[in-house]
Amino acid sequence: MSTLLLEGLDDGLAAYRAYDLKTFVSAGNGRTGGYGGYLETNNTFRYYWQPKAADIHNTFIVGMAVKCQLMPSGNTGYILRLLSDGITIEQLQILPQVNGSFAIKYGNGLGSTLTTPAGLFVVGTYHYLEVKVTLDDIAGSIYVQYDGIPIASVTGVDTRNGGVGGFDGMKIQNTHFGNMGNWYIDDIYVANGAGAFHNTFLGDTRIYLLLPNGNGNYSQLVGSDGDQVDNYLQADENPPSSADYNQSAVTGAKDSYSMDDLSVTVGTVSGVTLSAYAAKSDAGTKQTRLFVRHTAADAPGSDHPLTVDYAGYNDVLDADPITAAEWTITNVNSAEFGFEVRT
């Protein structure tokens, strides 16, 4: 697997993709008119994320849209940190500078600095920042892109600040308060160096929220309206609501829904995240699993254990699980997405 995270902050479930999320998510301030995370001087927003154990890797690629709302007054606040060894060791920091550049600190004691050109960011404009880092005591490397253009790199250096593990954590946060200025963040991705696809820069990435807009092949659960008719109407709210739901005690019962189409007609699909907001209402072990359906075939994911409290559950699909190839816009638009009752 290579694409590990696709975060647009638009669906009300970001807290279930992060391991620590303190949100001030602002409507209308995303790049495409949706939501953006606001990193302001009082440290209101933070997004801490960890990959699954199987996805820890010595190479991490991170991209995010950034918009400066207040220029930094100092050079010591970081906007991004990458960590390893049980998120105990900082391996890389990116710090906005007063001259409109970014400083990338890395290596033993974070004692080395890679500096980008000055004047990159100005107040009020979104740009897309990407960094690709390989951890190594001797042959490490860092590459930085800005709006798809390479702006800084270093190779054949010590990029490891101690420890022995691969990257296992990311922190996006405003630190040093007013020192770093105010920033909006949107359209975050993380990939690693593994997998057949998406193992290098994805480029300027936009993450679109698609909601149910019609019935799919399966309508086997009973809605909170008391029937099995138009079950998608119980699952199309944003943010999700526990007042509307579809439920069943029958193991193997499925619901699937057609979804909104992507608003773009050309481009590369770097992955799809399936998200559900679910709970159990009975004693004992209950699970659900999410699935994709298109071309008359189902592709289920792994089971998610449920609790009596509603929570978000997510599957990131780097490739189309039915074709085993990269997703296409056509297959995204034609697919149904759903969930299954499991014991």
Side-chain angles (χ1 to χ4, degrees):
M1 185 167 183
S2 191
T3 302
L4 308 179
L5 174 71
L6 296 166
E7 180 59 79
L9 299 170
D10 288 320
D11 66 354
L13 297 177
Y16 301 102
R17 289 184 286 269
Y19 75 85
D20 185 4
L21 180 68
K22 180 180 179 182
T23 58
F24 183 88
V25 180
S26 180
N29 285 299
R31 283 202 297 170
T32 55
Y35 289 79
Y38 190 31
L39 281 65
E40 64 176 339
T41 54
N42 65 0
N43 203 16
T44 302
F45 179 92
R46 65 174 177 254
Y47 188 101
Y48 294 178
W49 173 86
Q50 287 185 276
K52 297 177 182 178
D55 296 324
I56 295 171
H57 199 274
N58 280 347
T59 296
F60 245 28
I61 309 106
V62 178
M64 57 184 181
V66 295
K67 180 172 72 170
C68 180
Q69 284 297 100
L70 176 68
M71 290 294 287
S73 62
N75 293 326
T76 57
Y78 61 78
I79 197 171
L80 174 70
R81 291 186 293 173
L82 299 182
L83 304 98
S84 74
D85 293 81
I87 60 172
T88 62
I89 300 177
E90 293 186 17
Q91 297 290 357
L92 178 136
Q93 297 178 351
I94 296 183
L95 303 88
Q97 306 290 284
V98 294
N99 66 355
S101 70
F102 295 98
I104 296 95
K105 293 187 176 296
Y106 66 94
N108 186 27
L110 296 177
S112 300
T113 302
L114 174 65
T115 304
T116 71
L120 287 177
F121 55 83
V122 295
V123 170
T125 302
Y126 265 113
H127 295 277
Y128 208 79
L129 175 66
E130 296 174 279
V131 59
K132 178 180 179 180
V133 188
T134 297
L135 279 182
D136 193 87
D137 292 317
I138 299 173
S141 61
I142 303 172
Y143 299 90
V144 186
Q145 286 195 168
Y146 199 66
D147 292 335
I149 299 171
I151 58 170
S153 65
V154 61
T155 61
V157 296
D158 180 2
T159 53
R160 185 178 289 281
N161 181 26
V164 296
F167 288 111
D168 61 11
M170 173 187 73
K171 294 185 177 183
I172 299 172
Q173 187 175 11
N174 188 337
T175 60
H176 290 76
F177 303 101
N179 186 317
M180 200 190 82
N182 290 358
W183 293 78
Y184 280 106
I185 304 295
D186 200 4
D187 293 337
I188 307 160
Y189 80 76
V190 180
N192 65 16
F197 313 117
H198 318 132
N199 49 25
T200 188
F201 288 125
L202 302 187
D204 188 342
T205 297
R206 303 198 178 216
I207 298 166
Y208 296 93
L209 173 64
L210 308 180
L211 295 170
N213 67 2
N215 296 314
N217 187 69
Y218 303 103
S219 190
Q220 298 173 349
L221 281 74
V222 177
S224 52
D225 57 356
D227 58 45
Q228 296 175 302
V229 179
D230 291 337
N231 279 1
Y232 77 95
L233 293 175
Q234 319 307 322
D236 62 348
E237 299 88 2
N238 183 42
S241 169
S242 59
D244 287 349
Y245 56 84
N246 296 305
Q247 60 84 30
S248 176
V250 178
T251 300
K254 299 179 182 179
D255 256 17
S256 63
Y257 316 113
S258 63
M259 311 293 285
D260 296 332
D261 284 349
L262 287 166
S263 59
V264 295
T265 58
V266 295
T268 300
V269 180
S270 300
V272 170
T273 300
L274 306 188
S275 296
Y277 189 57
K280 67 174 186 174
S281 59
D282 200 357
T285 301
K286 300 293 178 184
Q287 302 184 100
T288 189
R289 66 180 179 184
L290 313 181
F291 67 90
V292 176
R293 178 179 175 83
H294 69 75
T295 56
D298 293 352
S302 300
D303 288 331
H304 294 282
L306 301 176
T307 71
V308 295
D309 297 315
Y310 272 88
Y313 301 92
N314 304 280
D315 290 346
V316 180
L317 305 178
D318 177 60
D320 183 334
I322 293 175
T323 65
E326 286 188 281
W327 282 97
T328 65
I329 292 174
T330 297
N331 282 353
V332 171
N333 290 345
S334 65
E336 300 172 13
F337 300 98
F339 61 96
E340 179 183 357
V341 178
R342 304 277 287 171
T343 55

